[in-house]
Amino acid sequence: MTSGSQYRPGPPPALGSELWTRDVNEIREVGSRTSVIRTPEQTTVGRFWFFVGARTYNPIVRQAATAKGMDLVDCARLYALTSIAGNDAFVAVFDAKYHYNFWRPITAIRNADLTSNAATPRDASWLPLGDTPMHPEYPCAHCITSAAISTVLQTIVGDFGEFSVTSPTAPGVTRKWTRLQDYSDEVSNARIWAGFHYRFSTEIGKEMGRKIGALTVATQLRGVEAMAEPRR
């Protein structure tokens, strides 16, 4: 990227809007620590993705490289591209987070009376499934990074068969997929089930990540010959 704000999205929805009402009420029900509608599988997935950062996606990059039988140079290039995309994704998402400084579900639901929206009642004791991350909500960081990495991998290697990830926040659980899109979508849903992010925030995050992944491949992918050219 040329600046942190290059892919900054528009603002989150107005607190009286249909979109806000729909999504805050969704997470009130499905993201609550005591939710009666979240399934055991959704609870497991929500806890699984408390795990964040490069450790969540580097194992996928390694499996992609192994499945495609990449040599040392191609492996290095793939890791470089995914690392660039992942880091740009973090820059972009935190630029937006602190620009908008939007409230997390735990704050919004406990203070819903401040919005004057009768369709979003206050619940002063509401808690999410996990401990809310200590930075603004909008947009979803986990969503942007998984989408950026998925876009790079999809463009360079395509779907490559079954791949899997384990997580220290869900001991004994292994998540498996055969499509990169399914992996990215699971990460986004997990942040809703965990009670951390509204659905609109996950969708915006994924859209930003796809743009960053595409930009990375378009501007940073170099052939072996170009890499070998001497600096001038």
Side-chain angles (χ1 to χ4, degrees):
M1 296 190 301
T2 56
S3 73
S5 61
Q6 184 170 343
Y7 291 113
R8 183 187 294 168
L15 301 181
S17 68
E18 181 179 345
L19 179 58
W20 166 254
T21 301
R22 183 199 72 185
D23 287 1
V24 74
N25 284 334
E26 176 190 25
I27 204 165
R28 178 202 309 278
E29 298 299 325
V30 76
S32 168
R33 191 165 297 183
T34 57
S35 174
V36 296
I37 66 169
R38 187 180 57 242
T39 68
E41 171 78 357
Q42 290 169 339
T43 299
T44 296
V45 172
R47 289 179 173 148
F48 185 96
W49 290 108
F50 292 169
F51 185 36
V52 298
R55 293 180 302 161
T56 66
Y57 58 75
N58 276 339
I60 299 174
V61 179
R62 182 173 64 249
Q63 291 170 72
T66 300
K68 293 297 183 178
M70 289 185 172
D71 62 21
L72 181 61
V73 172
D74 284 340
C75 282
R77 294 168 70 203
L78 185 64
Y79 269 99
L81 288 168
T82 52
S83 294
I84 291 168
N87 279 285
D88 269 7
F90 277 122
V91 170
V93 81
F94 278 95
D95 165 85
K97 281 178 179 291
Y98 283 98
H99 178 77
Y100 292 113
N101 200 30
F102 198 60
W103 54 3
R104 291 277 186 169
I106 189 171
T107 307
I109 294 170
R110 289 182 171 195
N111 296 277
D113 54 315
L114 300 178
T115 67
S116 299
N117 183 343
T120 59
R122 179 182 185 229
D123 183 347
S125 61
W126 189 89
L127 287 171
L129 176 64
D131 295 331
T132 297
M134 298 295 288
H135 50 75
E137 190 276 334
Y138 178 80
C140 170
H142 223 334
C143 307
I144 191 175
T145 53
S146 62
I149 299 304
S150 293
T151 299
V152 172
L153 291 176
Q154 189 70 61
T155 305
I156 302 300
V157 303
D159 286 317
F160 50 90
E162 185 176 272
F163 60 100
S164 62
V165 176
T166 59
S167 168
T169 62
V173 175
T174 300
R175 300 300 301 169
K176 299 179 181 180
W177 313 269
T178 57
R179 299 195 319 146
L180 289 160
Q181 182 68 55
D182 293 339
Y183 146 70
S184 179
D185 287 344
E186 177 176 304
V187 171
S188 296
N189 282 322
R191 303 312 266 177
I192 299 169
W193 299 333
F196 296 160
H197 283 290
Y198 316 106
R199 186 168 297 278
F200 62 78
S201 190
T202 69
E203 294 300 324
I204 290 293
K206 285 194 292 184
E207 181 182 357
M208 293 171 68
R210 287 190 289 266
K211 290 177 180 177
I212 290 169
L215 177 73
T216 303
V217 174
T219 62
Q220 303 303 315
L221 182 61
R222 301 286 188 268
V224 175
E225 297 79 6
M227 293 173 65
E229 290 179 357
R231 292 179 180 271
R232 299 183 184 276

